[in-house]
Amino acid sequence: MATIGHNNLNAKLVLLGDMGAGKSSLVLRFVKGQFLEFQESTIGAAFFSQTLAVNDATVKFEIWDTAGQERYHSLAPMYYRGAAAAIIVYDITSADSFTRAKKWVQELQKQGNPNMVMALAGNKADLEEKRKVTAEEARAYAEENGLFFMETSAKTAANVNDVFHEIAKRLPRAQPNQNPAGMVLVDRPAEGGARAASCCS
Amino acid sequence: MDEEYDVVVLGTGLKECILSGLLSVDGLKVLHMDRNDYYGGESTSLNLIQLWKKFRGSDKPPAHLGSSRDYNVDMIPKFIMANGALVRVLIHTDVTKYLYFKAVDGSFVYNKGKVHKVPATDMEALKSPLMGIFEKRRARKFFIYVQDYNENDPKTHEGMDLTRVTTRELIAKYGLDDNTVDFIGHALALHRDDRYLNEPALETVKKMKLYAESLARFQGGSPYIYPLYGLGELPQAFARLSAVYGGTYMLNKPECKVEFDEEGKVCGVTSEGETAKCKKVVCDPSYLPNKVRKVGKVARAICIMSHPIPNTNDSHSVQVILPQKQLGRRSDMYLFCCSYSHNVAPKGKFIAFVSTEAETDQPEIELKPGLDLLGPVDEIFFDVYDRYEPVNEPSLDNCFISTSYDATTHFESTVIDVLNMYSMITGKVLDLNVDLSAASAAEE
């Protein structure tokens, strides 16, 4: 859920899509500016945060990657819980991955919160010569289903930051906090008795 | 799944998910499967439709209860001791980042037909209507002794070796009456029966300290915390940890047949015609019914209500302990209540549980003393489930089977089982010396 305070927004963002569509690569490009040609399947880190400034506010994304749990349809309801935004990723060189992306959109419409901002990202746009899914087809599907659409390339960085910026712009600003505030238990080294701070809802 | 794994874990209950997470973090190759299409096994939280399917054989809950997905009804209701072992495991594994918690509003005890707040400190002892004026002073002295007691500092021991002195002898020194002993033993030290009286007092003193320190931790009215959206979040969070470290997850896998070699050692798990080879299997009792025995059963009532439990100071989350002696039983009864304030029900709704180690086959009658404290309920479900423990020798068959969840109100015994299993599986001891004072709760 996106929460607001002093024009600072905290928003949970989840990634969905087939294995190999490039979910982790998109995040790594966005968060670290890196790209690895042979990115291993997600291991060890599947939780990033990144702050963006847009117009009047800063948006801190808490980005959840699937950690491979999408492979056998074993994503837990917790994954969708409280997500303010989702990027559904497919590979423009694989018609199958586009078909599966549509399934993920249905799953989100079932599990996710109704005000969620959804983006459809056709990744690997640098591989034009191997393209199997046209931009027109994907855009039409996105429009019918209330998503915004962009083709991206984690390799060349094309449109990667743009997807996240567009989401940040579209997040509802004064969303009433539907959930009671909770607390996160945090483990930080004690520094002069200072209490660790982090926030959530 | 036609691959070789170090460990195949069967069942996604909390214990199995914690172990799966710890083993994946250790670098073992883990395959984790469940016959159900949801996470949590016996320790899941159900929405309204799932609840109706399980107990009413219908998928049409009445409309006046609100939206099905607003409900997260725990199947094993428990609270988390704020300074307890589960919090240490959560911090040790950094799984806390996937979860939001809120303090539990109240902790109460049933005494002579009435519900009272549990006094946990010397100051609270002085205010409590549970005791008469002289008894309060005696209790206060005992509480101060416990608060000051430090295992490593003999000066605080007042000449008693608590590894030898029984609880009964320690209490006799302070001259406390049976009534006081009853709430201290059951509502503060959280013993389930009266065996502790004849055991060394150290355990009871440590448990009382855990209660008091947990109470002081988050400024709630109880020593407990509880995750938003219910306990079903816990196994999911540990499963995510396991997946992040390379664990493979498969739900909705029927059968899950454990395969053995000619020496009787585990060699794999078969489901849907495919066999995953493995060296070890970790599972809940339902996956290896021939290697467990029944050790008891838990009776419980699950209630949906539109009000808090009466006489609990309007607590939106609360525990009430009914000590065995107050009811003429051999085991304690517990009330547990959570509500929309922890996102387990829609606005205005409360979920209450009455549970106990069953002594009869008639939960409706057996649970009555607890149910009588709830006031009117919108819906009620009765259930009795069997508890099992493993009887196999893990060093011979490489099967590591968890014990069924008991009727206790918190997770201390759950985590002890997990830590023992972890040691048996890996030959290592999990170091849970996290700095609890550095780990604090941040709230917005």
Side-chain angles (χ1 to χ4, degrees):
Chain A
M1 199 64 50
T3 54
I4 192 161
H6 312 296
N7 282 338
N8 292 328
L9 225 60
N10 267 12
K12 174 173 171 180
L13 183 153
V14 298
L15 287 152
L16 290 166
D18 241 7
M19 258 185 87
K23 298 182 293 296
S24 303
S25 298
L26 276 181
V27 179
L28 276 178
R29 172 58 82 185
F30 173 58
V31 175
K32 298 189 173 165
Q34 292 174 345
F35 177 78
L36 299 167
E37 190 74 47
F38 300 102
Q39 172 73 32
E40 292 209 18
S41 285
T42 317
I43 284 191
F47 189 84
F48 300 93
S49 73
Q50 179 80 337
T51 305
L52 274 185
V54 277
N55 306 334
D56 52 330
T58 58
V59 175
K60 185 184 175 197
F61 282 118
E62 271 178 19
I63 304 167
W64 289 46
D65 201 348
T66 53
Q69 282 176 304
E70 81 284 18
R71 187 167 170 192
Y72 301 103
H73 300 282
S74 309
L75 272 177
M78 148 180 276
Y79 190 71
Y80 305 98
R81 177 110 59 215
I87 304 178
I88 298 97
V89 186
Y90 69 93
D91 169 358
I92 67 155
T93 71
S94 158
D96 275 356
S97 81
F98 183 58
T99 308
R100 293 281 295 275
K102 294 179 187 170
K103 294 247 163 64
W104 286 114
V105 172
Q106 286 172 7
E107 184 73 13
L108 267 178
Q109 287 165 341
K110 210 169 71 191
Q111 302 246 19
N113 101 64
N115 305 321
M116 189 185 287
V117 177
M118 292 193 281
L120 180 66
N123 195 37
K124 308 195 186 178
D126 52 290
L127 300 177
E128 186 59 47
E129 71 283 5
K130 295 189 189 163
R131 177 189 286 277
K132 294 279 166 24
V133 183
T134 66
E136 292 69 35
E137 185 189 356
R139 179 168 293 113
Y141 170 80
E143 277 170 13
E144 274 166 38
N145 288 276
L147 290 75
F148 76 85
F149 169 70
M150 280 186 190
E151 287 196 344
T152 56
S153 167
K155 186 173 181 177
T156 66
N159 276 346
V160 174
N161 288 352
D162 308 65
V163 170
F164 288 89
H165 262 105
E166 187 60 31
I167 289 174
K169 276 196 271 180
R170 288 177 184 232
L171 284 173
R173 281 297 180 272
Q175 190 162 303
N177 194 356
Q178 296 166 348
N179 298 318
M183 60 194 182
V184 192
L185 301 175
V186 284
D187 185 18
R188 307 255 173 87
E191 285 164 19
R195 291 266 155 174
S198 122
C199 66
C200 63
S201 101
Chain B
M1 70 182 263
D2 282 317
E3 284 182 62
E4 184 153 0
Y5 296 86
D6 293 314
V7 183
V8 173
V9 183
L10 301 174
T12 53
L14 177 60
K15 290 182 184 182
E16 287 70 33
C17 286
I18 296 176
L19 284 166
S20 179
L22 292 171
L23 297 173
S24 288
V25 170
D26 276 354
L28 297 181
K29 190 172 174 188
V30 175
L31 172 64
H32 200 159
M33 299 196 284
D34 195 307
R35 63 167 80 86
N36 299 314
D37 62 358
Y38 54 85
Y39 279 92
E42 295 295 314
S43 51
T44 191
S45 304
L46 301 182
N47 65 31
L48 216 48
I49 290 172
Q50 292 170 317
L51 194 65
W52 246 254
K53 268 190 198 155
K54 183 176 167 81
F55 292 107
R56 295 276 156 89
S58 126
D59 54 6
K60 297 267 183 306
H64 69 86
L65 292 175
S67 163
S68 170
R69 60 185 276 179
D70 286 342
Y71 284 85
N72 296 291
V73 181
D74 297 336
M75 289 297 97
I76 307 286
K78 286 178 189 295
F79 285 134
I80 301 170
M81 193 66 92
N83 264 18
L86 183 57
V87 167
R88 288 174 188 274
V89 173
L90 284 164
I91 291 172
H92 173 81
T93 54
D94 202 18
V95 160
T96 49
K97 68 181 170 215
Y98 303 134
L99 299 161
Y100 297 128
F101 297 92
K102 263 180 123 173
V104 171
D105 289 344
S107 171
F108 290 78
V109 61
Y110 178 81
N111 189 275
K112 294 182 182 158
K114 277 191 170 166
V115 172
H116 298 276
K117 187 175 188 318
V118 176
T121 63
D122 56 320
M123 295 307 288
E124 287 187 343
L126 281 178
K127 282 188 264 173
S128 176
L130 273 167
M131 295 168 283
I133 182 77
F134 297 110
E135 182 69 4
K136 275 181 191 177
R137 291 186 191 157
R138 290 187 287 268
R140 177 168 178 266
K141 279 188 183 153
F142 179 57
F143 277 40
I144 289 174
Y145 172 75
V146 171
Q147 278 159 38
D148 292 344
Y149 182 85
N150 176 347
E151 212 180 341
N152 302 320
D153 182 0
K155 282 201 293 290
T156 66
H157 298 184
E158 295 187 6
M160 282 176 290
D161 177 358
L162 296 193
T163 61
R164 302 170 73 95
V165 173
T166 65
T167 314
R168 192 187 297 282
E169 289 162 348
L170 176 65
I171 287 170
K173 190 181 170 230
Y174 288 88
L176 301 179
D177 68 32
D178 283 354
N179 189 45
T180 308
V181 173
D182 203 39
F183 83 71
I184 286 179
H186 292 264
L188 267 176
L190 300 168
H191 289 295
R192 282 173 276 173
D193 53 45
D194 274 346
R195 274 177 299 188
Y196 72 97
L197 287 170
N198 297 320
E199 286 167 4
L202 183 62
E203 177 76 6
T204 296
V205 167
K206 276 187 177 170
K207 285 178 152 209
M208 287 178 69
K209 289 177 83 74
L210 174 63
Y211 187 101
E213 286 161 12
S214 295
L215 182 70
R217 183 83 184 281
F218 296 129
Q219 286 84 43
S222 82
Y224 301 114
I225 58 173
Y226 181 84
L228 295 188
Y229 303 105
L231 296 175
E233 299 295 281
L234 294 170
Q236 293 178 41
F238 283 103
R240 182 165 167 81
L241 171 73
S242 181
V244 165
Y245 282 88
T248 301
Y249 274 81
M250 294 182 179
L251 300 181
N252 211 2
K253 295 296 279 185
E255 201 184 6
C256 291
K257 185 170 174 290
V258 181
E259 309 281 359
F260 295 91
D261 63 16
E262 57 279 8
E263 288 172 36
K265 279 191 193 310
V266 157
C267 59
V269 175
T270 303
S271 175
E272 298 176 298
E274 286 183 300
T275 300
K277 290 192 193 127
C278 66
K279 301 182 189 84
K280 289 172 182 170
V281 162
V282 174
C283 67
D284 73 43
S286 69
Y287 287 88
L288 282 171
N290 296 331
K291 289 181 184 282
V292 297
R293 69 180 174 113
K294 187 178 156 185
V295 287
K297 55 190 177 176
V298 174
R300 61 190 174 154
I302 302 167
C303 306
I304 300 173
M305 317 197 295
S306 302
H307 58 86
I309 295 178
N311 305 311
T312 58
N313 204 14
D314 228 11
S315 296
H316 280 45
S317 51
V318 70
Q319 168 183 292
V320 184
I321 291 182
L322 292 75
Q324 43 158 22
K325 216 182 261 173
Q326 300 287 330
L327 306 175
R329 296 172 50 81
R330 290 191 301 276
S331 44
D332 293 355
M333 192 174 294
Y334 306 103
L335 306 188
F336 168 108
C337 179
C338 258
S339 68
Y340 58 96
S341 78
H342 276 96
N343 291 18
V344 299
K347 186 102 184 140
K349 294 291 179 194
F350 295 75
I351 313 288
F353 298 81
V354 183
S355 57
T356 187
E357 183 71 26
E359 294 171 10
T360 71
D361 285 320
Q362 295 171 295
E364 290 89 345
I365 297 169
E366 192 168 352
L367 298 170
K368 192 164 183 304
L371 290 169
D372 286 347
L373 299 177
L374 297 182
V377 297
D378 300 345
E379 293 285 345
I380 186 165
F381 308 89
F382 288 101
D383 186 33
V384 177
Y385 71 85
D386 292 329
R387 289 196 302 111
Y388 298 92
E389 68 177 20
V391 291
N392 65 317
E393 179 46 66
S395 62
L396 298 179
D397 60 12
N398 286 333
C399 296
F400 302 85
I401 308 169
S402 61
T403 301
S404 304
Y405 299 90
D406 58 33
T408 53
T409 60
H410 53 79
F411 286 101
E412 299 308 295
S413 58
T414 303
V415 176
I416 288 169
D417 190 28
V418 168
L419 297 180
N420 287 339
M421 289 176 73
Y422 177 81
S423 292
M424 281 197 287
I425 298 163
T426 63
K428 295 191 291 188
V429 175
L430 191 69
D431 179 12
L432 285 181
N433 272 318
V434 294
D435 185 357
L436 280 175
S437 65
S440 81
E443 202 156 353
E444 169 129 306

